[in-house]
Amino acid sequence: MNRRTQRSLQDIEGKELMNIARNAFAMMDDKALCALDVRLDYFEVQTRSERGRGRLPVVVVKQVNSLNDSYRRYLGLASHEGSVALVGGGPARMRSGSAFAGITDEQRRDLLASLVADAVDRAAQTADAVVSPFLTAADLPAYLNAAPSAAVREQGVWCTLEIGEVTDIAGFLQQLPHRRRRTWNRDIRDADALGLEHDVVPLSDEVVAEAAAGIANVSQRNDISESADIVTWRINNFYRRPGKHFFVRTWWQGSVVAHMMCRMLDDAVDAHTIGISDAPGLDRRTVYHTALILGPLRVAIDHGARRLELGIGHETAKLRRGCTGEDIYFADLLPVRY
């Protein structure tokens, strides 16, 4: 085996292990979310055999109408009513989950299809509809094997910025193609020209109150109607879920103008909720790019993280800066029955 082939196999194995870790964490996150939200129920289907061990989560939305319209659209449930079972979960991190042990990748696909079939059968006994949001391209074939008549549509692109083993921003930029590096250098120049700075603070009542208005502002600009009080409730619930939580704040002229809520997960930083405050003369575009990616990237490097998870949404800006994009799908596994 030559060195190039060996490196390629190591890269593939690394990506598979990373996806296994992501899926397991998404499952754990769903379980924690359901324990905090009375509108949701949670159960798992499991199997243990010579083929290995596997677990698959199912999140049940007891009444879809209990969710606001924006959240229903985000989950892909705008046209649903009654109760809906989400096979594979997904509402916590906008990514489906699972957990496997003792099997090869090919065996995992077969075992996942078996678990999906069991989950659909069980969920169909009580739920008005059975769906699977936020499926990765790698998992989609197993779901279609279990439910061949499923209707599938694209739901978004999950973006991840691979950082690698670097010690500073210069080392990160050095490994990028020229065009990506040029985009980052422009972001850094723009941030420096405005005098933008950032710091890292843990979640506290004072900081949450400070961040809530800006997060609600961004939500409203994206046609998601929520008040600062609802944002505060969401953040406080998030703090009780897995990971080490913190805010990366962006400062301009002595005031905080943006918050990026993040959490540290093993060797990754998950940057998931942004808030920006309006201020006269503020270059919102530059603040957005600094708060969304540049600030969290610097923090991730400082903490030894190997990747920055940026999730779904606004993928054009993320891909332009070197993120890898993973297509995410929504599957209607069983027709709606009313």
Side-chain angles (χ1 to χ4, degrees):
M1 181 186 301
N2 62 41
R3 290 183 179 179
R4 180 176 296 178
T5 302
Q6 187 175 14
R7 282 197 302 270
S8 297
L9 290 174
Q10 288 172 343
D11 288 344
I12 292 170
E13 182 180 4
K15 290 177 181 177
E16 290 173 354
L17 290 173
M18 182 174 66
N19 283 329
I20 289 170
R22 283 171 169 167
N23 291 346
F25 184 83
M27 182 174 174
M28 182 170 56
D29 211 13
D30 276 333
K31 188 173 183 178
L33 172 66
C34 292
L36 296 167
D37 195 327
V38 297
R39 299 171 297 179
L40 308 175
D41 276 336
Y42 178 93
F43 69 87
E44 295 177 6
V45 290
Q46 304 183 24
T47 185
R48 180 188 294 266
S49 68
E50 337 179 296
R51 293 185 298 169
R53 303 186 305 277
R55 295 158 50 218
L56 185 70
V58 180
V59 172
V60 179
V61 182
K62 298 174 186 177
Q63 285 294 328
V64 173
N65 288 335
S66 68
L67 309 178
N68 66 42
D69 291 344
S70 302
Y71 193 34
R72 289 173 64 180
R73 287 199 305 272
Y74 202 56
L75 291 176
L77 303 177
S79 61
H80 291 77
E81 297 178 5
S83 61
V84 178
L86 313 180
V87 174
R93 205 173 178 220
M94 307 306 167
R95 188 180 181 93
S96 62
S98 59
F100 294 92
I103 56 175
T104 65
D105 191 52
E106 184 175 348
Q107 290 171 328
R108 177 189 176 280
R109 193 176 301 115
D110 294 338
L111 196 58
L112 177 59
S114 174
L115 287 170
V116 171
D118 290 346
V120 170
D121 287 344
R122 180 172 169 184
Q125 296 175 20
T126 55
D128 294 307
V130 182
V131 305
S132 287
F134 309 115
L135 292 175
T136 64
D139 284 350
L140 181 62
Y143 278 76
L144 295 181
N145 285 344
S149 61
V152 178
R153 65 177 184 270
E154 293 183 0
Q155 198 170 14
V157 178
W158 181 280
C159 291
T160 302
L161 186 64
E162 301 293 343
I163 300 172
E165 298 185 11
V166 300
T167 58
D168 55 27
I169 193 79
F172 167 75
L173 295 177
Q174 189 62 38
Q175 64 190 5
L176 295 179
H178 174 70
R179 184 160 53 171
R180 306 293 186 223
R181 189 162 62 247
R182 185 173 58 193
T183 300
W184 276 104
N185 284 329
R186 184 191 63 204
D187 288 345
I188 293 169
R189 285 195 305 270
D190 290 347
D192 289 345
L194 273 181
L196 298 179
E197 298 178 341
H198 75 266
D199 66 0
V200 179
V201 291
L203 273 65
S204 66
D205 290 345
E206 180 182 358
V207 174
V208 169
E210 181 184 82
I215 293 173
N217 180 306
V218 171
S219 296
Q220 290 160 12
R221 285 172 174 265
N222 287 284
D223 298 322
I224 300 175
S225 178
E226 61 179 1
S227 66
D229 288 340
I230 293 296
V231 172
T232 299
W233 174 81
R234 282 204 299 118
I235 295 173
N236 287 332
N237 267 10
F238 215 103
Y239 185 59
R240 298 164 65 186
R241 285 159 53 188
K244 180 180 179 181
H245 303 269
F246 56 91
F247 276 111
V248 179
R249 300 189 299 186
T250 302
W251 292 76
W252 179 62
Q253 297 185 350
S255 299
V256 177
V257 293
H259 296 77
M260 190 68 187
M261 189 174 176
C262 304
R263 56 180 168 174
M264 190 78 183
L265 310 169
D266 296 327
D267 65 346
V269 167
D270 181 23
H272 54 82
T273 305
I274 188 171
I276 300 177
S277 302
D278 288 322
L282 183 69
D283 183 344
R284 193 178 179 95
R285 175 186 171 279
T286 298
V287 170
Y288 175 77
H289 291 148
T290 299
L292 177 72
I293 308 181
L294 181 56
L297 173 63
R298 284 174 166 156
V299 172
I301 292 173
D302 289 345
H303 285 75
R306 296 292 177 259
R307 66 182 190 277
L308 179 63
E309 299 280 8
L310 292 165
I312 297 175
H314 303 284
E315 63 269 12
T316 300
K318 298 171 185 176
L319 295 174
R320 190 176 294 142
R321 286 158 179 80
C323 286
T324 57
E326 186 178 15
D327 291 334
I328 300 294
Y329 299 88
F330 181 99
D332 264 307
L333 301 178
L334 285 182
V336 181
R337 56 180 177 85
Y338 301 126

